[in-house]
Amino acid sequence: MKHSAPRGRQLKRLACLSAATVVVGLLAAPSSGVAQAPADPGTPPGVDEVASTKNLNQVAHLPKTGPFANSTNSDWAFKGEYAYGGNYNGFAVYDISNPKAPTVAAQVLCPGSQNDISIKGNLLFLGTDSQRTNDSCNNAASTTAAPGDRWEGVKIFDISDPTTPAYLKSVKTDCGSHTQTMIPGKAGDNSVYLYVSSYNLAAADQPNCALPHDKISIVRVPLAEPTAARVVSTPVLFPDGGYPGGTEGQSPTTGCHDITAYPEKDIAAGACMGDGVLFDISVRSQPKVITTVRDTENFAFWHSATFNNKATKVVFTDELGGGGAATCNPEIGPERGADAIYDIVGKGNNRKLEFRSYFKIPRTNTDTENCVAHNGSLIPVPGKDIMVQAWYQGGISVWDFTNSRNPKEIAYWERGPISDTQFVLGGSWSAYWYNGFIYSNDIAKGVDVLELKDRRTNPATGASTELFNAQTQDNYSNW
C-alpha cells in the first residue's frame, strides 16, 4: 500500500506545517458526478469520464480538502464506524456510519511519507519513510541545511476519541517505516509487534539507512503502556544479500517493501523487492524464513502480498515502474506489472511456494496514466478466493482466483486519466472491502465508496468486522 520509488526519487516531500493540528468536523461533499463512458475494455475512458461494469457502482465521493488537498493520499485502516486514511501530510478520519454519505471527522496534520496506518484497540500506528527534522508533528524534511534529528520511524496515536487523536510516542527505526504490519502477541503477551519494512535503493549509504540493509525492524508495543514501545529486534532476513537485481530493471533485495501476516496461522508473506518470502512468525520477535521465490523474467519489484482465507495461496504484486509509470498497455503485456498467484504446498518448514498463474487487468490505459498492480484485500465470500484491488489510474478490479491457474475479473470501476496531454500521477492507492462496501483512497481525487452487487459476491453480504488492517489478515470464517 505504498509507493515504491527509490528513496532518493520518492514523491515530493512535504513542506513544514507550523503546528500539529487536528481539524474536526468537515462536511461531506456530493458524489463526483463525472460523465459515464462505455464499459469497453478496448477504449479507455476520457478525462472526467468513468467506465465500469454494471455490478460495481460508485455510491459516494469525498474530494481532498484543506491541508490535504495538494498532498498524496495513501493507505487505509478501519475500526468500527471510522476509516483512517493516510496522506503525506498526516491522516484523515472519516465517519462511515453511513457509507453512502461519509464525512470527514478529523484531519491530523503530521507530515512525512508515506504515513502508512495500522490500528489495534485505541492505538493507531503511523509509519514515516522520509527523514524529518524531528519526531513531532511540527517538522520539516531534513536536509543538509536543516538536518535536525534526521528522524524517521513509527508514531503512536491514541484514538479513543476518533475525532481528536492524541500523539503519544515515537520509535525511530533504521531506514524509516515504508510500511508496517501489526501482529498481536501470542496468548499471555498483551502486546503488539510491528514489523517495520524499509529499503534503500540508492546504491549508497544514507543517514539512518546504511547498506547492506537486509533486515526489518520489530517494534514491541505493550498495550497497557504504549509509551514503552521500543525496537526489540532487527532480524537479518537475507544473510546472503538476497537477489542482487537484474539488468532489465529488476530490483535488488535491500530490505522488504511489505509484509502481510496471518497471525492465526503463524505465517507471514513478505514482498521483499527482489524476493517473495514465506515466514514462520510463531515467535513474534524472531520471524524465520521458510522459503523464498524469485521471478527474474517478469517481476521487477515484489511489492505486496495477500493470502487466501485458508492460507493455501499467496497473491504477490509486482509494482513495475514504482507506481509512477504507464504499464497497462500492449507493449508491457499481461505478465509484467501484474499479480502472481502461488500455491503453498507441503507442511511446516518444508512448505514451498509454487507458481500457478498471473493476473492483470484486461484493459488498455493511456500513456498519461500510472497503472500497475497495487493494494487490495479479500472479499469474504465463503469457499471462494475473491479479491478487490487498486491499480492506480487503472482503477479498481474485483477478481476471482479460486482456480489458481485460471483467475478471472468479475467487476471493475475506472476513472479516465487526469490529463490526456501529460503524465500526471494519481489513481487508487488502496481499495479494500470493509463491511459491505469498497473504499478507495485515490492519490489525487480523494475518497471513493463503491458498492458491489453480484451473485458471486453476494454471500459476503452481512459479514462484518470491527477492525480491519489489510496487512493483518483475519480468518473471515470467524466473523
Side-chain angles (χ1 to χ4, degrees), residues 119-355:
I119 295 172
K120 176 64 174 178
N122 288 324
L123 299 178
L124 179 145
F125 309 106
L126 190 71
T128 300
D129 186 38
S130 57
Q131 295 175 33
R132 316 304 298 180
T133 51
N134 60 66
D135 68 347
S136 78
C137 285
N138 182 16
N139 70 73
S142 178
T143 63
T144 302
D149 293 333
R150 288 194 179 272
W151 183 90
E152 53 185 335
V154 176
K155 297 185 177 81
I156 304 173
F157 289 80
D158 182 337
I159 54 169
S160 300
D161 180 351
T163 66
T164 56
Y167 182 22
L168 296 179
K169 166 76 174 179
S170 75
V171 180
K172 186 176 182 178
T173 59
D174 290 346
C175 222
S177 175
H178 197 71
T179 65
Q180 34 85 21
T181 304
M182 188 281 298
I183 304 173
K186 304 276 281 188
D189 182 0
N190 189 31
S191 304
V192 296
Y193 294 81
L194 304 178
Y195 285 15
V196 177
S197 297
S198 56
Y199 58 89
N200 180 358
L201 283 179
D205 285 354
Q206 294 183 334
N208 303 335
C209 197
L211 292 170
H213 183 76
D214 295 317
K215 63 184 180 181
I216 61 172
S217 296
I218 300 180
V219 177
R220 179 176 179 266
V221 184
L223 293 177
E225 191 181 359
T227 54
R230 63 185 182 90
V231 175
V232 293
S233 63
T234 54
V236 175
L237 306 178
F238 306 99
D240 64 351
Y243 180 55
T247 59
E248 297 181 358
Q250 300 97 329
S251 174
T253 298
T254 71
C256 287
H257 181 278
D258 210 321
I259 294 174
T260 294
Y262 202 143
E264 179 184 294
K265 309 288 187 181
D266 281 337
I267 58 173
C272 299
M273 306 165 64
D275 291 278
V277 188
L278 188 66
F279 298 100
D280 178 338
I281 60 169
S282 53
V283 179
R284 299 295 196 238
S285 61
Q286 299 175 32
K288 295 181 179 179
V289 174
I290 298 172
T291 189
T292 62
V293 66
R294 292 175 186 167
D295 180 348
T296 58
E297 181 177 355
N298 287 315
F299 258 46
F301 192 99
W302 295 71
H303 174 273
S304 54
T306 303
F307 290 100
N308 69 333
N309 196 52
K310 292 182 179 179
T312 58
K313 306 172 187 176
V314 183
V315 174
F316 288 103
T317 67
D318 172 23
E319 197 185 42
L320 175 67
T327 71
C328 296
N329 53 49
E331 291 74 23
I332 298 297
E335 296 181 343
R336 294 190 294 155
D339 299 315
I341 305 165
Y342 286 79
D343 283 356
I344 302 173
V345 300
K347 296 182 179 180
N349 292 330
N350 293 319
R351 283 172 284 188
K352 301 293 183 184
L353 292 165
E354 291 191 357
F355 173 77

Side-chain angles (χ1 to χ4, degrees), residues 17-31:
L17 298 174
S18 60
T21 305
V22 178
V23 183
V24 182
L26 298 178
L27 297 177
S31 183

Side-chain angles (χ1 to χ4, degrees), residues 28-112:
S31 183
S32 58
V34 294
Q36 295 292 313
D40 177 4
T43 305
V47 175
D48 290 331
E49 288 185 338
V50 162
S52 70
T53 47
K54 293 181 179 179
N55 54 356
L56 185 59
N57 293 288
Q58 181 188 39
V59 295
H61 173 74
L62 282 175
K64 296 192 299 182
T65 59
F68 293 177
N70 297 312
S71 184
T72 298
N73 274 347
S74 58
D75 209 357
W76 285 116
F78 301 81
K79 183 188 176 187
E81 294 183 338
Y82 291 92
Y84 297 80
N87 180 283
Y88 276 48
N89 240 359
F91 65 93
V93 184
Y94 301 94
D95 183 333
I96 56 170
S97 54
N98 181 353
K100 295 184 179 182
T103 59
V104 179
Q107 291 180 328
V108 179
L109 307 184
C110 201

Side-chain angles (χ1 to χ4, degrees), residues 344-391:
I344 302 173
V345 300
K347 296 182 179 180
N349 292 330
N350 293 319
R351 283 172 284 188
K352 301 293 183 184
L353 292 165
E354 291 191 357
F355 173 77
R356 293 292 182 255
S357 64
Y358 296 106
F359 171 78
K360 191 172 182 180
I361 57 172
R363 285 173 296 289
T364 297
N365 272 201
T366 69
D367 291 338
T368 63
E369 296 175 280
N370 56 309
C371 175
V372 74
H374 215 231
N375 298 339
S377 71
L378 298 180
I379 298 176
V381 179
K384 297 291 186 179
D385 300 327
I386 298 177
M387 184 173 177
V388 58
Q389 186 175 6
W391 289 78

